[in-house]
Amino acid sequence: MSYADTRRKIDPARGDRLGDGTPNDNDRVEIGPTQLAFGEWASAGLALPNLQNMREFRWKRIVASLQARDYGAILLFDPLNIRYATDTTNMQLWNSHNPFRACMVCADGHMVVWEYKQAPFLVNFNPLVKELRSGASFFYNVCGDKVAEDASSFAAQVNEVMRKHAGANCRLAVDKIMINGLRALERAGFEVMEGEEVTERTRAIKGPDEILAMKCAHHACEAAIAEMETATRTGVPLGHMSEDDIWAELHKGNIRRGGEWIETRLLASGPRTNPWFQECGPRLVSNNEIVAFDTDLIGAYGICTDISRTWWVGDQAPRPDMISAMGHAIDHIHANMALLKPGVTIRELTYGGHQLADKYWKQKYSCKMHGVGLCDEWPFVPYPDAHVDGAFEVALEPGMTLCVEALVSPEGGDFSIKLEDQVLITETGFENLTKYPFDSALRGQA
């Protein structure tokens, strides 16, 4: 009997495939959910995505976007755009500031990945990737003073693929590229187009399996939040739990379920919540203080779950001004969320909805809403004082997912209330994907 026949499986009773279509094998290449996550999703009655269908949906959307714009191809360096196109990963955070991977999708559907030379096997599980190359590294760290030559060699490879699959079409969309790479492509005769516009608009509409993946990822994130809340309410009264200790619980819960990373450190306590955007540190949280956070979490299937909650931690009641601010924040989210439906425009969302009280206006959040998928995404819904004509002249469509924000932060105060829910635009309105409750004490209910 071969090793392949005897190695341990995640769940031998399910055969050689899991419910999402991935190999039932602890040694599989692609990152995926853990036994814990699958078990929790089954208990919650959640349907699993079919990842093969999800990958094909994304590939078809990219191809359709290229054809609609008469682009010959798109060249991707952003790790999240590569993830969208291929569902493959390789040291995502390191890759984000040391761009060694690239993916090219041609308007005829041909897909090429430039992978780290020592790790070509990382993309072999996806049959949509038709060609595997290397040589997309042209950043100074590894190329030194020969970076321009390495960029020219890469551009020659791009030209080879383009001539074969796009013919005379020299319109090449590019998302993010090092400056030597851009210059090399332009010297090679390409008309370089704005690739980020393509990817953001393409990614904005989620397919059926992407939505299932998001619901699973959301459930996993909320389970990790619940563990973080239990640890917080248990540890803080003992007098030795720091903000970093609390935040570590969310990281732990995310990784235990097959999640990937957290984009920020946005957790603060007590007076450090005002002004907002101070990231967590060694401060010991005292009993009878506020703890507020924003998950910014990249979880199972690489899906972002971006929700915020504010807790009162202690055995006394919060102050009346805190309870009032919490009510104002909940009203802000619910009233603005009620506007969501297909056909409503970003302009209508910007100028409509709930008005923050004057004392909370100066320190309001940077937006009312923003798109979400593999990370924070397009579109963006600003407050009226940040609206720019022509920037977001679009209407919502079914399949979009947005996060509805509220930051109620009194100017000169010693606390803030941060809330955020994640919402799916449906054919008739919206579905709030976020189930995690608001703090009862801050609602004046305990």
Side-chain angles (χ1 to χ4, degrees):
M1 185 176 292
S2 70
Y3 169 74
D5 294 328
T6 59
R7 59 188 172 182
R8 294 179 61 193
K9 301 291 180 64
I10 293 175
D11 180 2
R14 296 186 68 94
D16 68 348
R17 292 279 153 180
L18 296 171
D20 58 12
T22 54
N24 184 8
D25 187 343
N26 275 331
D27 295 326
R28 68 186 189 183
V29 168
E30 67 267 41
I31 296 174
T34 62
Q35 286 177 288
L36 174 61
F38 281 125
E40 290 174 340
W41 297 340
S43 296
L46 291 175
L48 299 180
N50 181 301
L51 295 190
Q52 181 179 340
N53 291 344
M54 185 184 79
R55 293 162 185 158
E56 186 169 348
F57 174 87
R58 290 173 170 176
W59 168 66
K60 286 181 176 178
R61 278 194 61 81
I62 295 172
V63 170
S65 294
L66 294 173
Q67 293 175 353
R69 292 164 176 77
D70 191 28
Y71 294 168
I74 187 167
L75 183 59
L76 307 171
F77 287 88
D78 186 322
L80 297 185
N81 284 334
I82 297 174
R83 177 67 176 269
Y84 182 84
T86 69
D87 203 27
T88 68
T89 62
N90 188 349
M91 300 182 287
Q92 295 288 80
L93 293 183
W94 196 85
N95 186 197
S96 70
H97 57 91
N98 294 292
F100 65 90
R101 302 180 87 208
C103 174
M104 185 171 171
V105 182
C106 300
D108 69 353
H110 186 76
M111 187 188 299
V112 184
V113 171
W114 281 263
E115 185 54 274
Y116 185 53
K117 189 180 296 185
Q118 281 80 9
F121 54 86
L122 291 175
V123 302
N124 289 338
F125 69 87
N126 187 349
L128 294 174
V129 179
K130 301 301 184 184
E131 191 176 346
L132 194 57
R133 292 171 175 250
S134 63
S137 299
F138 41 89
F139 54 98
Y140 197 83
N141 181 352
V142 299
C143 300
D145 292 329
K146 294 297 183 180
V147 63
E149 288 90 333
D150 289 338
S152 294
S153 296
F154 173 76
Q157 289 194 56
V158 172
N159 189 56
E160 178 189 340
V161 176
M162 194 78 161
R163 297 290 68 79
K164 186 179 294 185
H165 293 278
N169 190 334
C170 293
R171 289 157 59 84
L172 175 66
V174 182
D175 64 347
K176 295 178 173 72
I177 189 170
M178 303 296 287
I179 191 167
N180 280 288
L182 174 62
R183 288 171 175 166
L185 291 175
E186 291 176 334
R187 284 196 304 269
F190 290 110
E191 183 182 0
V192 178
M193 313 303 292
E194 176 53 74
E196 195 171 29
E197 181 271 336
V198 178
T199 57
E200 289 290 325
R201 287 177 176 261
T202 299
R203 284 165 50 176
I205 307 296
K206 278 65 180 178
D209 290 282
E210 285 184 289
I211 292 168
L212 294 178
M214 181 172 285
K215 289 181 177 181
C216 288
H218 210 92
H219 186 277
C221 178
E222 292 198 9
I225 291 173
E227 293 168 350
M228 179 172 68
E229 182 172 10
T230 297
T232 301
R233 296 193 183 282
T234 302
V236 165
L238 301 178
H240 54 71
M241 194 167 204
S242 70
E243 294 171 353
D244 283 338
D245 290 329
I246 295 171
W247 197 235
E249 295 295 324
L250 185 63
H251 283 269
K252 176 183 175 182
N254 184 37
I255 298 301
R256 288 180 66 228
R257 292 169 173 84
E260 301 186 18
W261 72 85
I262 300 178
E263 300 245 77
T264 64
R265 294 169 54 94
L266 287 175
L267 179 144
S269 61
R272 289 190 76 248
T273 62
N274 188 325
W276 185 246
F277 283 114
Q278 297 188 69
E279 298 189 279
C280 64
R283 180 183 188 272
L284 293 179
V285 183
S286 297
N287 201 33
N288 295 306
E289 282 191 327
I290 273 176
V291 173
F293 62 91
D294 187 340
T295 60
D296 291 322
L297 181 147
I298 310 302
Y301 300 120
I303 300 290
C304 181
T305 302
D306 191 11
I307 58 180
S308 301
R309 288 294 181 263
T310 302
W311 300 326
W312 174 256
V313 182
D315 52 5
Q316 300 176 13
R319 300 192 317 243
D321 59 336
M322 295 176 174
I323 294 173
S324 175
M326 181 71 164
H328 200 71
I330 292 173
D331 289 346
H332 196 64
I333 278 187
H334 286 168
N336 291 340
M337 193 183 299
L339 300 175
L340 296 176
K341 61 183 179 180
V344 67
T345 65
I346 301 300
R347 183 182 290 267
E348 289 170 326
L349 295 173
T350 296
Y351 288 98
H354 185 266
Q355 177 63 43
L356 287 171
D358 289 345
K359 61 184 175 180
Y360 304 132
W361 181 253
K362 184 175 181 179
Q363 294 188 175
K364 64 185 179 299
Y365 200 63
S366 56
C367 66
K368 278 187 172 181
M369 307 176 196
H370 62 81
V372 66
L374 295 179
C375 60
D376 287 2
E377 295 179 355
W378 182 91
F380 184 86
V381 181
Y383 281 93
D385 59 344
H387 176 79
V388 177
D389 283 339
F392 293 98
E393 304 299 338
V394 295
L396 299 187
E397 300 177 50
M400 286 184 169
T401 47
L402 296 101
C403 291
V404 184
E405 299 270 7
L407 174 61
V408 174
S409 180
E411 186 178 356
D414 61 355
F415 74 94
S416 295
I417 303 293
K418 179 69 170 67
L419 303 177
E420 179 182 12
D421 281 5
Q422 194 160 318
V423 174
L424 167 69
I425 305 302
T426 66
E427 295 290 341
T428 57
F430 70 90
E431 176 186 354
N432 189 349
L433 303 181
T434 305
K435 312 301 180 188
Y436 209 87
F438 297 125
D439 185 88
S440 59
L442 286 169
R443 300 188 76 175
Q445 297 174 349

